[in-house]
Amino acid sequence: MGAIERNGFRFVPEYSVIQQNGAIHVYKREDFIEEIQFKFSGKFPELDQIEDLVEKYCDLHNI
């Protein structure tokens, strides 16, 4: 799963299958902004779940 780019922001997902949780690291250019934490079930998070979290973040922050 690669990074998602939106209007100068980069969203980098990572996750732990063992712990069933993940995070999306938010960067603006090279600066770390914050981390969006989430939980999932199964072998890996669904791409739709990641995209939905990014979309909600962008809407909330007018990105």
Side-chain angles (χ1 to χ4, degrees):
M1 211 173 288
I4 298 171
E5 302 276 340
R6 296 271 171 86
N7 297 327
F9 286 81
R10 190 173 75 246
F11 299 86
V12 182
E14 60 181 51
Y15 59 92
S16 168
V17 174
I18 294 170
Q19 296 179 4
Q20 295 286 283
N21 63 23
I24 302 170
H25 295 151
V26 182
Y27 296 89
K28 184 166 185 176
R29 296 186 182 87
E30 298 302 318
D31 298 327
F32 176 76
I33 304 298
E34 67 180 294
E35 179 179 89
I36 306 166
Q37 296 182 1
F38 64 93
K39 295 199 176 293
F40 67 94
S41 60
K43 293 185 178 182
F44 53 87
E46 296 291 326
L47 182 56
D48 289 344
Q49 180 184 12
I50 302 291
E51 290 176 345
D52 188 49
L53 289 167
V54 169
E55 190 67 33
K56 287 178 183 177
Y57 182 91
C58 289
D59 287 346
L60 184 64
H61 293 89
N62 297 315
I63 297 173

